[in-house]
Amino acid sequence: MWRTWKPYAVLAVLAIGGIWWWNAQSPFATLQDGSYSCTGVYVNEDSKYEILVDSAGQRYSGTARVEGGELVELAGATPLTTTQISRLMLKSTGTTKFHVTDDPATKMYNAIACELAG
């Protein structure tokens, strides 16, 4: 009898882990509503972020707001209009991080990376 429960326990753990990943970490997870702090980045060929800086060495930074899982506001030195925001491609990483770009390149592009503030 003790030998038969182990495969079921493993399957249960895998199922719970899979459901958690799908809802919290996958690109399909819904972003949490709230304010996000953002930084200008370059996404390199390894899909890693490189922080962009201006000529004085200062980071490009901004803020974003998500409502109903959708990006509704993005502002830096100049806020973007709703039309400009609608043209951006959003790639989320879980429920608290995302980046947006207007560059359709599949590798190596400039973007704005945002993370849930607070």
Side-chain angles (χ1 to χ4, degrees), residues 45-69:
E45 61 210 15
D46 297 324
S47 296
K48 303 290 183 196
Y49 291 160
E50 296 176 20
I51 303 296
L52 297 176
V53 295
D54 63 15
S55 58
Q58 299 296 314
R59 289 182 176 194
Y60 293 104
S61 61
T63 59
R65 189 166 46 90
V66 171
E67 289 180 4

Side-chain angles (χ1 to χ4, degrees), residues 40-43 50 52 99-103 105 108-112:
V41 297
Y42 174 73
V43 181
E50 296 176 20
L52 297 176
H99 73 257
V100 292
T101 184
D102 64 350
D103 189 346
M108 300 184 301
Y109 52 90
N110 290 323
I112 300 170

Side-chain angles (χ1 to χ4, degrees), residues 5-85:
W5 68 269
K6 291 177 184 175
Y8 296 109
V10 169
L11 288 175
V13 168
L14 289 175
I16 291 168
I19 291 168
W20 169 82
W21 179 85
W22 183 266
N23 290 325
Q25 301 297 316
S26 79
F28 309 107
T30 303
L31 288 170
Q32 290 182 16
D33 292 350
S35 296
Y36 287 72
S37 56
C38 304
T39 302
V41 297
Y42 174 73
V43 181
N44 66 24
E45 61 210 15
D46 297 324
S47 296
K48 303 290 183 196
Y49 291 160
E50 296 176 20
I51 303 296
L52 297 176
V53 295
D54 63 15
S55 58
Q58 299 296 314
R59 289 182 176 194
Y60 293 104
S61 61
T63 59
R65 189 166 46 90
V66 171
E67 289 180 4
E70 299 290 325
L71 179 63
V72 295
E73 183 181 307
L74 184 59
T78 313
L80 297 179
T81 66
T82 307
T83 304
Q84 290 170 318
I85 291 173

